[in-house]
Amino acid sequence: MDITLAAGKASGHIHIPASKSQTIRALLIATMAGGTSVIRNPLYSADTEACMKACGQFGAQLVHEEGKITLSRTALPSKPFTVDCANSGTTLYLAVGLAASAGVPVTFTGDNQLCARPVGALLSSLADLGATVLDADRKPNIPDTPPFTIIGPLQGGRTSIISTTSQYLSGLLLAALTSTDTVHIDVPLLHEKPYVGITMSWLDKQGIQYTAAQDLSRFEVPGKQRFSPFDTYISGDFSSASFFFCAAAISGTAITVAGLDKDDPQGDKHILDILEAMGCNIVWNGPAVTVTGPVGGRLKSGSFDLNTMPDALPVLAVTACFADGRVILGNVPQARIKETDRIAVMYENLASLGARIEEREDALVIEGGTSLTGGVVSGHGDHRIIMAMAIASLRCRTPLTIEGIDAVSVTFPTFFPLLSTLFTPEAL
């Protein structure tokens, strides 16, 4: 499905849906725990529903009530099975912890995008720790991409992992605690550290024993541990909220986003620091934050390191088009291995609209101050590209058509209805 959006301004008040990262961790950890857990205010989206289906295959029973999920598991499956993660990379990488403890062969696959995403580094580490890894032909081999099969349990030992995505390390940490013996993990490279922080916060809340170097370059996880059932509330998603923060920034208006936890370890909350540096006013009031853009949406330039928050790259690239000068969005090479190559795709889309933009190996460089023309761009089957281009439409001289917007359902199926509640048309 396509959508055509006209120029205008966005202002007002919304309540943001729950965090995808936290919802998926809650579902998987509840399944690993066994017993009965309650997850309040979960996110319902294509990604989380793929995770819910996976948990069901691992023996969980999910009861959906108003505003909560009650998840119970009494036993793991006794026969081999296949988990289709659809488009959910978070489910793919983190569910290996469940697979490592299942004791039967578990095959992972997904849609075409997911089956192009690299997974070899994680599988190599699991093999180091005693798991058997089979490729698509069911032969002992470490494939670069799904499908693959994992047979646990882990025995323990030492491994080293190049964590170009934080999800490798998060998946490894969840798997490690179920091993027979202690697991030692060396991490010579780690992108997106705050996302590992989310996983560590779950380990801490659960009383899991582990030690970590201050720079997260080394971990030691004693084996034979398990999670316990819990009752938790999932707070709002800063990654989803970032689109509305940036809408206020480029509109020169105020948008209040409620449902957020200022103390949540989600890395994307630091987009607020970047927007403040670009001239926005940020005010917290309990679980709500108000972002007010500068008059006329004329933002300050600057150089910003996005390594801890790669999901913010698309919408910040749009925002940078309206800065007074050069904006560098750098140190984010992992943006190339998301649902799409987000560096290349944002360069393509914004250049087609007249932006002065340069693509670098690990960065985008935007010369602000040039208006965008409007026209037609592709969503590239990537939810964050689609939503970023929707925010760009607010400042396009002519209507902007975004082709293939269905992928927003991956994390934010209510995005366009929410955006429309804030929208006031205004010809440029």
Side-chain angles (χ1 to χ4, degrees):
M1 184 170 66
D2 303 341
I3 193 169
T4 300
L5 302 169
K9 290 187 176 182
S11 62
H13 185 289
I14 60 168
H15 193 284
I16 207 71
S19 164
K20 179 191 79 168
S21 297
Q22 294 282 24
T23 298
I24 289 178
R25 282 166 174 78
L27 289 164
L28 293 173
I29 290 170
T31 303
M32 292 180 74
T36 300
S37 294
V38 179
I39 303 168
R40 303 181 189 276
N41 191 45
L43 173 69
Y44 283 94
S45 71
D47 270 11
T48 59
E49 287 173 8
C51 185
M52 292 173 198
K53 182 178 178 181
C55 292
Q57 291 179 278
F58 280 101
Q61 294 183 329
L62 286 76
V63 176
H64 302 270
E65 302 174 81
E66 184 67 30
K68 71 177 183 179
I69 296 171
T70 302
L71 186 153
S72 302
R73 184 185 65 77
T74 56
L76 287 166
S78 58
K79 297 180 180 179
F81 60 98
T82 296
V83 175
D84 184 346
C85 298
N87 191 249
S88 179
T90 308
T91 301
L92 172 72
Y93 297 128
L94 271 60
V96 295
L98 268 168
S101 62
V104 298
V106 181
T107 300
F108 287 89
T109 189
D111 65 12
N112 290 338
Q113 276 189 344
L114 194 72
C115 286
R117 295 180 72 168
V119 71
L122 175 57
L123 298 182
S124 292
S125 283
L126 292 170
D128 289 344
L129 300 174
T132 298
V133 180
L134 308 179
D135 62 19
D137 296 322
R138 299 300 175 96
K139 296 179 180 179
N141 187 36
I142 307 296
D144 293 328
T145 57
F148 59 87
T149 300
I150 293 286
I151 308 173
L154 300 188
Q155 302 302 318
R158 182 175 293 277
T159 190
S160 178
I161 189 164
I162 302 294
S163 203
T164 50
T165 167
S166 64
Q167 292 172 341
Y168 293 167
L169 181 55
S170 286
L172 198 55
L173 288 171
L174 295 183
L177 65 93
T178 70
S179 67
T180 303
D181 206 347
T182 299
V183 170
H184 302 269
I185 307 170
D186 294 318
V187 192
L189 175 68
L190 174 59
H191 294 316
E192 310 162 356
K193 287 184 179 181
Y195 285 93
V196 176
I198 297 175
T199 303
M200 292 168 65
S201 72
W202 275 97
L203 300 181
D204 294 340
K205 286 186 292 186
Q206 284 277 321
I208 298 299
Q209 297 179 32
Y210 71 99
T211 57
Q214 187 171 4
D215 63 356
L216 307 188
S217 63
R218 292 182 308 279
F219 288 81
E220 182 179 299
V221 186
K224 296 181 181 178
Q225 299 188 74
R226 62 176 300 168
F227 291 114
S228 301
F230 57 85
D231 186 326
T232 195
Y233 180 90
I234 307 297
S235 60
D237 195 310
F238 279 92
S239 298
S240 295
S242 66
F243 297 95
F244 298 99
F245 298 157
C246 290
I250 70 171
S251 295
T253 56
I255 295 179
T256 299
V257 180
L260 296 167
D261 179 358
K262 188 177 182 180
D263 297 323
D264 193 292
Q266 294 176 56
D268 279 10
K269 69 182 178 182
H270 295 297
I271 193 172
L272 293 169
D273 299 328
I274 292 176
L275 293 176
E276 188 169 41
M278 296 181 76
C280 295
N281 185 50
I282 313 296
V283 177
W284 279 94
N285 183 14
V289 61
T290 300
V291 177
T292 305
V295 175
R298 297 185 65 84
L299 297 154
K300 297 177 183 178
S301 58
S303 180
F304 305 104
D305 187 324
L306 299 190
N307 192 267
T308 63
M309 45 188 295
D311 286 346
L313 175 70
V315 75
L316 281 175
V318 168
T319 305
C321 293
F322 307 102
D324 288 331
R326 171 174 287 195
V327 175
I328 300 174
L329 305 172
N331 192 24
V332 64
Q334 70 271 38
R336 291 193 182 274
I337 58 169
K338 299 294 183 179
E339 285 85 339
T340 56
D341 179 340
R342 288 177 175 161
I343 293 177
V345 165
M346 286 307 298
Y347 169 81
E348 174 189 323
N349 278 359
L350 290 176
S352 74
L353 300 181
R356 294 182 294 171
I357 184 169
E358 174 190 347
E359 177 184 354
R360 295 182 180 174
E361 183 178 354
D362 67 345
L364 287 171
V365 180
I366 300 100
E367 300 289 347
T370 301
S371 61
L372 303 181
T373 60
V376 180
V377 294
S378 172
H380 292 274
D382 186 330
H383 54 126
R384 301 202 191 281
I385 301 298
I386 294 164
M387 291 186 283
M389 298 315 300
I391 300 307
S393 73
L394 295 170
R395 295 286 299 272
C396 287
R397 292 200 304 270
T398 60
L400 178 65
T401 298
I402 307 169
E403 297 178 329
I405 65 168
D406 305 82
V408 294
S409 65
V410 166
T411 51
F412 203 164
T414 59
F415 170 76
F416 283 105
L418 272 180
L419 182 61
S420 69
T421 67
L422 302 175
F423 178 75
T424 301
E426 182 177 280
L428 296 184

